[in-house]
């Protein structure tokens, strides 16, 4: 039985492939939508919680709201981190990713069709090995789709309204030792000169492009290569999401 | 595919039985010990993190330290709760259970044998249906045992020293409609007149006895019946822990 | 004039006796009920504050609410502790005891008879020498009884309604050097192998039983001896409470 | 037996007199100095805690440090206030008074003579009826004097050194309905047009003068009358402090 | 081009003069009133924000409210200080000054005439060289006057009502090397034996007098000299405020 | 004199131009580098604070550290916002921008050449009208360059070492009503379908590319147009930075 922290990430034979992806729906008996998604050794538990009503600033608008919260369990990483609840404040990285998740999912929501309902997407990282935010977005989409189906079945969403205007998936790309790489694991991410997270809709358009030079600034040519790679990865993930929702994954 | 919050807890045919228990080891590639434990629909993810060194107040003592942290994911329950990290403070219930987990596990630790190492037991509730604290203690023991085996293999613990002096397991008991019940699910817990959490060592002695009158004060006779029931449940759990560690569960 | 921190707790001639207990009512001109209680050198100032109305989640129920808050003055102990207000968060021990006080007093409250009124029991430890939580509960009961009398006189409680269904008192017990001991002072508490706090109603039933193995797990026989001792102590305290309320203490 | 919140402050026959003052020393068995002081119905419990060493920024200077912390028990006032520990932050008024207490006491300290020791003066208001900050300073001085005597007896202060360079007392004054008044109770304070807190040394000089126009700005003549009244009150309090320390109060 | 932290405060030829004062109005395009004020090298940016409505405790009274908030930019001083937002709490000094600003401005407000409107005075110190609180009050008055003119023009204040009952300005005074000094810069403030902040109305009466003995207690004679000096300084500032509001400064 | 909140942003004649940019150096007498930068009506005050030493995790590495902190004054915007220090926590947007500033400036730092020194870039928004984060980065670069010159003159940086490896500037771009626009003001930003912040080095490479679909996902062609526009804007800003540092702006 494999135990402890001596585990090694399995390197992929073809560096421009996605790591193995799994998407398990119905992982919570309480949540209206729930998914355990894995990108390689990264595992994120995504739940979608539907409540009637909207935040105060949106009341009476007839429009719904969708938001995200991201967190890591303290031992999701190789070295245990302090809980943010114990430190009494949320760190900048957590804030940044929570906001990204919310924005990404809202990109495919028709607020009017959703009506005055709120959906919260909680993405808790059980095990981290790079790409936790992109796995979170990709999994949260599936949980969101299930939650909306539930809301329709409960008549919280009016008959004939389609709150989802498309699908959304996300992937990380980076340049490691001069080679563009798709879906970086932690070790690759640490060594990357440039690191980019890309969120796409199912029709291939961009929702978010966040590229960061880690070691060296990048030029337009490198940027283009990364965008090509990310677009392909997102399309592949969109296909897996579709299969998961059809029950054919 | 079962979806959403309409799920119903399965009532047990014999009310004085444990709910089905599962204990899966090695659920994290990073942690030195890790367990996914379930008591019925309650699922708790327990990790044991070993670090060299001890808190400041214990430095130079030659003795180790073991502590626990408990938390619920926001949608572990039927209604989503706010994250304590977002509220900026830890609630009383969380504090109380974290302290209970730490005390319970320390009851079977020989600090001298552990040496100046610290083990943190993180118990995160993925899904709650009553008995989360008792499942947490029971699972944390298994994670702790694996972590100590790891520490011995890494020579963090000196050869021949046995930091574990025994085993520990926990169960809840309560009186519902006048009937003593073992291992209460959420619905039973809500209806219980008296609620008790009992932590026992493998040799049948008590580490913690916490009985609370919810509706009516209880008399000595009722207390005795509950203690009998709990002792039996803890013994059964100790057996399951042993099998899990042997790999025969 | 005795000064400073060289003071020594007076050991009791008979270890299974309560320490000297004093209960002074009317210690605050503002509070609806107030008591300065001492168990030996432990002194706790208990006030009961009555307000019309209940917390939001209880509004419209026709039922009242009772809650407790516990705190230590920074120099209540031998070494000055930081104020929790300065640290910006409440510690786990404080949370745990506040919750215990609230639960214990609610055990003798008929919410319907109380009507939509809230009573907060503030228990502030002026000097600590073991048993602060049990002194707090015992004193808070007396303050609560006076506050209810006040509420009745002000017609906040309807004529003929009796919000108090009984009396409640609490005591600590422990095993020190193999001997069961009643109402432990700080030094005894530190040395105890097992430590138990017991809350009883005036008719001898249990409201809370919290036993903790400090050094060694305890067996059923030891548990029984401690429960016997605690029951006797609580009965004695119930008698003192009655006398204090009659003005004959 | 007087109960509850119907109590009325006793008005003084001569408005330019102090309210009855009591100073009880030795009120804590733990603290190096402790005093229960009352100005009329205002009761403040003052403890002085001595520790070896000084805050980091003062280390190696050979000089000591004295600081103050002020707090109100939640039901010290007519209406219960939330605890600052529960709210998670200290209010502006508390901060302001804590700083005033520290500055006032430091005015009579010779840091060199004190050596690298720290004395914290905790002033906790048990019952408030106006003048809590001035009672706190006046009582804290007595606790401080006792703590320094203790420190000398323990040789924490070198033989022959006198850390106290004088005495300090404080009183409030105000103009109510055009009449200057000494030592205002709460009702008078609320009605005052001008309110002033004055801290004096035993030789009649000023340590702090804090005058605030509540309703109407005040002119130089009114200011002079208030200063005269305050000087007299402080001198009277200095006399009571001296008697308390001699044991002749 | 002068750069960096080697800059020296220019000493004034006549120590009983104000430092050069500048008052620039209209420094913000958003705020209803805004001023950049400088007292020597101290620069404070004051904005007045008007909102309809009042805090909950004042609703329905027909009366308005005015409050102040003070803060220093982290590098306003010679050594960078941590941001209070990063530390998660407001320090005592900030609290104290914010309260002083609010009280000082409220002294010249007729709440009835203001009606149920709230004005918040934000005073942010861009560069500190002593006297930041007195510059803040003096500048905030000008911003407040502009904000009230704006509120009148927008009919938030009823025609014919005059919410301002006078003018208010503030200055610091101190005794340095035995000499009374007006408007102390940082270096003088550090060396002062006594330090006093005085807030006056335009007709020469006092709103606040806050004198603190830094090194030595001060006597009545010294107090009188400081008050004389401060009264003169405040009158001079009142004149500058008037000119600024007339546009003739 | 223009007063109050009725001010209107001046629309630019050519939408693909930068708004008027001003860069004033030496705006603080205390900071080692300081700049008041404006992009149209957006004004940001940037200071660079140099301290010897590095955070604990970097000690002994021989390498320096550069970090950023961003904040808005409460009335920088049209509606007053609560201070984060008063709320007791930093919001997600503030965190996100602070992190972006730090990363952007670190992209042109040679840590080894900087040696074990830390530079903190504080960017406080005095007035906001869109593009506050890009103005902050562009201004912070100039403050950083001045701070490094200062550190070299003080021999904190070793002779011959060049901690700056290039220059960095930033600009926002967006698509408004189908038209790509450079350097958006607040009104344009609110109406933008897509919003992108781009950080470039002086040699035209990218440090950060952050594109967000606000209303509609964007395609590759739109992305390319925005990148072209941003590259031009950053080059123009780099030229202005150079002139400011030469004193020829």
């Amino acid at each position: 039985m494999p135990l402890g922290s001596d585990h090694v990430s399995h390197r992929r034979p073809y560096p421009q492939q996605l790591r193995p992806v799994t998407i398990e729906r119905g992982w919570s008996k309480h949540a209206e939508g729930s998914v355990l998604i894995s990108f390689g050794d990264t595992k994120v538990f995504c739940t979608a919680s539907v409540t009637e009503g909207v935040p105060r600033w949106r009341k009476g608008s007839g429009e719904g709201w969708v938001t995200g919260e991201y967190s890591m369990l303290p031992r999701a990483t190789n070295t245990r981190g302090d809980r943010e609840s114990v430190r009494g404040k949320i760190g900048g990285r957590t804030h940044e990713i929570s906001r990204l998740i919310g924005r990404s999912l809202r990109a495919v929501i028709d607020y009017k069709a959703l009506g005055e309902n709120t959906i919260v997407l909680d993405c808790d990282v059980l095990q981290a090995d790079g790409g936790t935010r992109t796995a979170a977005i990709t999994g949260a989409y599936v949980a969101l789709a299930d939650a909306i189906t539930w809301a329709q079945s409960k008549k919280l969403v009016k008959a004939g309204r389609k709150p989802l205007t498309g699908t959304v998936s996300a992937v990380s790309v980076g340049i490691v030792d001069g080679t563009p790489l798709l879906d970086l694991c932690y070790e690759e991410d640490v060594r990357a000169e440039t690191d980019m997270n890309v969120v796409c809709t199912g029709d291939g358009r961009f929702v978010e492009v966040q590229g960061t030079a880690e070691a060296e600034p990048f030029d337009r040519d490198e940027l283009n290569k990364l965008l090509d790679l990310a677009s392909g990865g997102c399309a592949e993930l969109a296909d897996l999401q579709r299969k998961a929702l059809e029950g054919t994954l």
Side-chain angles (χ1 to χ4, degrees), chain A residues 157-221:
Chain A
V157 167
K158 286 189 196 149
R161 309 304 295 268
K162 299 201 164 176
L164 272 180
T165 62
T167 77
V168 75
S169 60
V171 78
S172 70
V173 284
I175 299 177
V176 179
D177 303 334
T179 306
L181 226 68
L182 183 66
D183 186 22
L184 285 64
C185 72
Y186 179 72
E187 268 183 43
E188 293 161 347
D189 186 67
V190 165
R191 289 166 47 219
E193 292 106 55
T194 289
D195 179 18
M196 184 175 289
N197 291 294
V198 177
V199 185
C200 288
T201 49
D203 62 5
R205 288 183 296 160
F206 299 102
V207 168
E208 287 269 340
V209 173
Q210 297 200 337
T212 299
E214 298 289 342
E216 269 297 287
F218 50 98
D219 61 24
R220 188 73 171 265
D221 183 53

Side-chain angles (χ1 to χ4, degrees), chain A residues 58 62 75 86 105 114 122 128 137 143 155 174 190 194 197 238 240:
Chain A
R58 215 172 171 85
R75 193 55 198 279
V86 170
L105 277 302
L114 180 55
D122 285 293
I137 292 166
K155 314 290 183 213
V190 165
T194 289
N197 291 294
L240 293 168

Side-chain angles (χ1 to χ4, degrees), chain A residues 25 236-249:
Chain A
R25 290 159 68 213
E236 207 175 326
L237 288 164
D239 198 51
L240 293 168
Q241 289 172 320
R242 186 181 46 76
K243 286 181 181 151
L245 285 164
E246 289 170 5
T248 62
L249 189 66

Side-chain angles (χ1 to χ4, degrees), chain A residues 52-134:
Chain A
E52 290 188 75
V54 283
R56 191 180 323 199
W57 52 271
R58 215 172 171 85
K59 272 186 187 151
S61 66
E63 302 195 342
W65 188 240
V66 170
T67 186
E69 290 194 10
Y70 168 95
S71 185
M72 287 239 215
L73 293 199
R75 193 55 198 279
T77 46
N78 200 264
T79 306
R80 186 179 183 274
D82 285 341
R83 287 174 192 269
E84 294 184 322
S85 57
V86 170
R87 274 191 276 138
K89 48 183 159 187
I90 291 182
R93 182 183 174 276
T94 298
H95 259 147
E96 198 170 303
I97 300 178
S98 293
R99 286 159 56 88
L100 174 63
I101 294 170
R103 279 199 313 273
S104 297
L105 277 302
R106 286 194 294 272
V108 292
I109 285 289
D110 175 340
Y111 296 135
K112 280 281 175 210
L114 180 55
E116 289 203 13
N117 297 295
T118 297
I119 304 180
V120 182
L121 297 155
D122 285 293
C123 301
D124 287 87
V125 180
L126 304 186
Q127 188 168 283
D129 187 28
T132 61
R133 78 187 71 185
T134 52

